[in-house]
Amino acid sequence: MSTAFTLQLQGTTWVCKNQDVIYDGVYLFTNQRGLSKTALMPPPSIPATWISVYGSLTISQVGKENPNGGINEAGLVVEQTTLWSSEYPTVDERSAISELQWMQYLLDTSSTVEEALKCVENIRIARATSRLHYLIVDRSGDYAIVEFISGQMFVHRRPLPFAAITNTAYCEAIHDLKAGQSEWASKTDYELNSMERLQTVTDALASTSPRLNSGNIMNLFDLLGSSSRPDTVYSLVYDLEHSEIRITTKNHANCIGKIRLKDFNFDKSSPAQVLDVQTGWGAHRALVFQDYSAELNMAAVRSFFRDPVLTSVFQWEISEEMIHHIAHYPDSCV
């Protein structure tokens, strides 16, 4: 499920996200610049290769290098929500990457929306386990919504009627909002919930409420709260001007952690950092990072792929060998 949107308040660009999923593992990872990477792609796909130009801070439930979203040093944010109607490109001559690592690739290589859209022309998403659409935003306030429909990439560029995504294809969402709630009676519960959350957000973004326009970050969390679900596991607010993230989780609803990119060393000679957001709260509600290790990543990857509820829903059969391979993949980025 999930909800993501962007707006500008008091001269600052913000991106807000609710992650809705029936699994509460949440990890933050730093990602160093200057690393050579090869996409985690099995044969016969030709894996994409690149060098990370920018350091980044990503949030993931699947392990390092497979983010659910994140922000880089240049102030670029890439986020996503589920879109079950997504169909990624068919096999062609381009190199391939997974639907999650696609976001890491953009954070590694791009400083603006314009650069990001040029970068993805030469790669394709392949062998995805999730069907997603994406919100890409840069510090200037430029944004794009990227979707894959019938094997083709569609890019919706600023200015748009609204800069928000839930779980409805963008053009369909525009049509349904114009039609009004009286026309939604034939929708499934899933489709209806997606449109209800989208309308909550778009109504707020279109309003001239002094409360929202004050720039108070708590008002952004209030808006996220009004569009949340019972399975919202975490909520994020990105401050692109200052390269900061605020985060709260379902298990720590009364705590909002603040993470600043300037507090980390993204040089390739320095160790990456990791935080288990559910357990890493220290004194005075501070989030305490530690040096990254393959063992910590293994725990994150195994917890996700061995979760009984996720396994029953997605019907995946992931071997221990594959879990080990995914967990140790970051060791190949040198």
Side-chain angles (χ1 to χ4, degrees):
M1 300 294 275
S2 305
T3 302
F5 58 90
T6 183
L7 71 165
Q8 285 193 296
L9 297 173
Q10 304 296 312
T12 296
T13 302
W14 304 86
V15 178
C16 305
K17 166 73 179 292
N18 279 336
Q19 178 77 359
D20 308 330
V21 64
I22 45 177
Y23 172 73
D24 64 3
V26 186
Y27 300 86
L28 285 168
F29 296 96
T30 65
N31 307 280
Q32 311 308 93
R33 69 176 86 90
L35 299 182
S36 176
K37 301 184 180 182
T38 300
L40 185 58
M41 274 284 113
S45 296
I46 300 172
T49 60
W50 69 98
I51 294 176
S52 59
V53 179
Y54 303 100
S56 62
L57 182 66
T58 51
I59 187 163
S60 177
Q61 296 185 287
V62 191
K64 188 171 171 61
E65 297 291 334
N66 288 289
N68 294 98
I71 181 172
N72 71 11
E73 295 177 284
L76 182 78
V77 167
V78 186
E79 270 294 349
Q80 51 73 33
T81 67
T82 299
L83 181 63
W84 285 112
S85 59
S86 295
E87 293 183 23
Y88 298 111
T90 56
V91 176
D92 56 29
E93 70 281 359
R94 292 176 296 171
S95 56
I97 198 167
S98 74
E99 82 284 10
L100 294 182
Q101 202 169 22
W102 190 85
M103 292 185 284
Q104 186 66 61
Y105 170 78
L106 295 186
L107 293 171
D108 286 346
T109 59
S110 307
S111 63
T112 65
V113 171
E114 194 70 35
E115 288 182 6
L117 295 178
K118 288 180 180 178
C119 284
V120 298
E121 291 177 356
N122 299 319
I123 63 171
R124 63 181 176 85
I125 295 175
R127 297 181 67 90
T129 56
S130 301
R131 298 177 184 271
L132 309 172
H133 56 170
Y134 302 89
L135 175 64
I136 309 172
V137 188
D138 66 32
R139 186 172 286 160
S140 74
D142 192 13
Y143 62 84
I145 293 168
V146 179
E147 298 179 326
F148 295 88
I149 308 296
S150 300
Q152 299 294 316
M153 185 172 79
F154 289 85
V155 179
H156 306 278
R157 291 298 306 272
R158 177 191 183 189
L160 294 171
F162 51 87
I165 53 175
T166 51
N167 311 109
T168 308
Y170 193 78
C171 288
E172 180 184 343
I174 293 175
H175 174 272
D176 287 351
L177 285 176
K178 288 181 178 178
Q181 291 187 15
S182 61
E183 303 296 320
W184 299 354
S186 62
K187 292 187 176 295
T188 66
D189 289 344
Y190 183 95
E191 294 168 335
L192 182 60
N193 181 260
S194 171
M195 289 305 303
E196 288 173 342
R197 285 181 285 115
L198 186 62
Q199 180 146 58
T200 296
V201 169
T202 55
D203 285 351
L205 296 181
S207 75
T208 56
S209 167
R211 186 166 181 265
L212 181 60
N213 292 331
S214 69
N216 186 330
I217 197 168
M218 293 308 301
N219 296 333
L220 298 177
F221 275 105
D222 287 345
L223 179 52
L224 284 171
S226 68
S227 57
S228 66
R229 290 170 40 87
D231 59 356
T232 299
V233 67
Y234 65 80
S235 299
L236 293 172
V237 173
Y238 296 91
D239 176 347
L240 278 64
E241 177 66 26
H242 303 99
S243 293
E244 297 176 353
I245 298 177
R246 270 78 160 191
I247 184 170
T248 186
T249 73
K250 185 176 183 179
N251 294 347
H252 297 86
N254 296 322
C255 300
I256 296 178
K258 179 179 179 179
I259 307 102
R260 307 183 302 177
L261 267 70
K262 68 180 181 180
D263 291 337
F264 299 96
N265 185 347
F266 293 104
D267 187 83
K268 61 185 177 182
S269 62
S270 297
Q273 302 287 296
V274 60
L275 167 73
D276 182 339
V277 181
Q278 301 290 26
T279 64
W281 296 85
H284 308 294
R285 298 181 177 179
L287 292 168
V288 182
F289 284 74
Q290 58 184 304
D291 286 352
Y292 169 82
S293 70
E295 291 73 25
L296 287 170
N297 201 42
M298 175 69 81
V301 174
R302 177 176 284 119
S303 176
F304 181 82
F305 285 110
R306 290 291 181 258
D307 181 80
V309 178
L310 292 179
T311 299
S312 66
V313 170
F314 292 102
Q315 296 295 304
W316 54 42
E317 295 181 6
I318 308 295
S319 67
E320 277 298 310
E321 181 182 9
M322 180 55 69
I323 288 176
H324 184 276
H325 186 55
I326 295 171
H328 286 270
Y329 164 77
D331 300 340
S332 70
C333 305
V334 298

